[in-house]
């Protein structure tokens, strides 16, 4: 009997927010777990993701718990909350993710990773507020691409594509997928794993099991839990975001807006270059690495060519290789 231990690390996206089942959340990772094995196979699934988590939480709290479980497969989908805090530091994000990926792969665990859309665009913020958040998310995505390549992760490009504009796939807050959106993530991850020979069960159904929340239920959620989220983020992020927006407007007025993009790119390159480039231990090629070697960048139905190219360029420029 084939047994697979699957552990999910991350924030509210992986916790399952937007896909309610009973009194809790289900989410894409739980949906994916059901299709990892077939026949007499068995999947042991543990979800360590916590709403609001940042990369520091994944490193210091979730990773030790995951290592103790000795998973065959671990998903690490994190980074959006880092961009929404006034403590955002791309150097720290890169260092933490490198340590998380290294610790898990050193045990022989196959990694699942994903790049994510920027929250400013999803929330439809004014351009002066959205651009700084987009710049931060692009930086995080570039780091995730480079490190995913280094550690042979199975990587899903979820940062762009038609699915981002399909309102039916998103919950009322526009930051978390609804059930349809969570199912799309599960289906796409399953396709990548199946191609690598790591998922033998039937893929999750893309069709929802439950009816979509009514408009009144969505508005009620926004007026209760949603309001609390906005208040917390405004207290933490808004002062810095207004300062960043002021910088954005001044540079645009002077025609020097490209300097902000260049500064962000330089910061990413410096963050990746600062990481210790160590030889990975000799070991047989994993299914994930074989899949990556064959396809280089597999989009699996989620367009992401520009994002993928940025990740590859960063990896090449900083000499971080797997």
């Amino acid at each position: 009997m084939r047994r697979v231990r699957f552990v999910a690390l991350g924030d509210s996206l992986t916790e399952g927010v937007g896909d309610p089942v009973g009194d809790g959340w289900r989410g894409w990772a739980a949906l994916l777990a059901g299709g990892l094995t077939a026949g007499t196979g068995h999947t042991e699934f543990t979800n360590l993701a916590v709403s609001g988590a940042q990369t520091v939480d994944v490193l210091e709290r979730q990773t030790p718990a995951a290592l103790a479980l000795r998973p065959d497969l671990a998903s690490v989908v994190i980074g959006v909350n880092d961009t929404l805090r006034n403590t955002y530091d791309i150097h720290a994000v890169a260092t933490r993710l490198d340590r998380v990926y290294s610790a898990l792969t050193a045990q022989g665990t196959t990694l699942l990773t994903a790049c994510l859309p920027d929250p400013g665009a999803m929330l439809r913020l004014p351009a002066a507020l959205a651009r700084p958040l987009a710049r931060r998310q692009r930086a995080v995505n570039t780091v995730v691409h480079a490190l995913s390549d280094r550690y042979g992760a199975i990587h899903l490009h979820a940062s762009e594509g038609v699915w981002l504009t399909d309102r039916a796939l998103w919950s009322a807050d526009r930051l978390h997928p609804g059930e349809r959106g969570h199912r799309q993530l599960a289906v796409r991850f399953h396709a990548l794993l199946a191609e690598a020979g790591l998922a033998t069960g039937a893929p999750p159904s893309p069709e929802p099991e439950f009816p979509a929340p009514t408009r009144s239920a969505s508005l009620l959620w926004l007026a209760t839990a949603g309001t609390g989220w906005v208040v917390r983020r405004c207290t933490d992020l808004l002062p810095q975001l207004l300062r960043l927006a002021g910088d954005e407007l001044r540079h645009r007025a002077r025609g020097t807006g490209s300097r902000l993009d260049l500064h962000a790119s330089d910061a990413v390159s410096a963050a990746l270059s600062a990481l210790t480039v160590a030889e990975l231990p000799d070991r047989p090629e994993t299914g994930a690495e074989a899949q990556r070697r064959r396809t280089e960048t597999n989009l699996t139905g989620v367009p992401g060519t520009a994002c993928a190219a940025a990740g590859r360029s960063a990896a090449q420029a900083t000499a971080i290789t797997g």
Side-chain angles (χ1 to χ4, degrees):
M1 180 178 71
R2 179 172 180 255
R3 182 184 67 178
V4 174
R5 292 192 183 98
F6 173 32
V7 176
L9 300 82
D11 55 24
S12 55
L13 174 65
T14 301
E15 184 185 24
V17 172
D19 182 25
V21 174
D23 295 329
W25 305 108
R26 178 179 51 186
W28 68 266
L31 291 165
L32 173 63
L36 293 178
T37 57
T40 60
H42 174 64
T43 299
E44 296 177 0
F45 173 60
T46 304
N47 195 340
L48 300 174
V50 177
S51 181
Q54 302 175 59
T55 52
V56 65
D57 301 303
V58 169
L59 173 63
E60 296 180 356
R61 297 181 179 88
Q62 297 179 25
T63 298
L67 293 173
L69 294 170
R70 302 197 67 83
D72 304 293
L73 180 69
S75 62
V76 182
V77 180
I78 192 70
V80 170
N81 285 318
D82 288 81
T83 72
L84 295 173
R85 300 298 198 278
N86 59 20
T87 54
Y88 168 78
D89 180 351
I90 193 61
H91 288 258
V93 169
T95 300
R96 292 165 187 157
L97 289 178
D98 184 59
R99 291 174 62 187
V100 170
Y101 293 3
S102 176
L104 288 167
T105 55
Q107 282 194 348
T109 300
T110 297
L111 286 176
L112 289 182
T113 62
C115 57
L116 299 170
D118 76 87
M122 300 307 299
L123 291 171
R124 298 179 180 176
L125 295 178
L129 295 175
R131 287 193 189 103
L133 290 181
R135 198 173 288 116
R136 288 180 172 190
Q137 190 60 51
R138 284 197 301 271
V140 171
N141 284 343
T142 301
V143 165
V144 171
H145 273 291
L147 294 179
S148 295
D149 185 69
R150 178 185 185 184
Y151 289 102
I154 291 185
H155 181 75
L156 177 66
H157 299 283
S159 62
E160 53 190 69
V162 176
W163 84 287
L164 297 181
T165 59
D166 186 346
R167 190 68 187 86
L169 298 179
W170 294 88
S171 63
D173 65 5
R174 292 200 63 84
L175 274 177
H176 299 98
E179 182 186 355
R180 283 184 180 274
H182 277 283
R183 287 185 175 276
Q184 284 296 313
L185 290 173
V187 167
R188 284 161 167 73
F189 266 124
H190 186 278
L192 289 172
L193 287 166
E195 183 176 350
L198 298 175
T200 57
S205 171
E207 296 302 319
E209 180 181 357
F210 304 105
T214 63
R215 180 173 177 79
S216 59
S218 296
L219 291 175
L220 178 62
W221 187 91
L222 285 174
T224 54
T227 299
W229 183 90
V230 171
V231 170
R232 290 191 298 273
R233 291 293 75 76
C234 286
T235 301
D236 183 47
L237 177 69
L238 188 56
Q240 186 192 37
L241 190 57
L242 291 175
R243 180 181 63 78
L244 292 172
D247 291 342
E248 193 80 31
L249 291 173
R250 283 192 294 273
H251 276 280
R252 294 287 167 182
R254 298 169 184 166
T256 57
S258 60
R259 292 183 183 177
L260 295 173
D261 294 325
L262 181 61
H263 177 73
S265 297
D266 288 345
V268 171
S269 296
L272 291 173
S273 296
L275 299 177
T276 301
V277 182
E279 289 296 328
L280 298 179
D282 292 334
R283 51 184 168 79
E285 183 178 61
T286 66
E289 291 163 338
Q291 182 265 349
R292 176 173 57 85
R293 174 176 52 76
R294 289 194 304 271
T295 63
E296 292 187 0
T297 301
N298 190 321
L299 304 184
T300 315
V302 182
T305 304
C307 190
R312 288 196 298 274
S313 296
Q316 293 165 358
T318 57
I320 292 184
T321 62

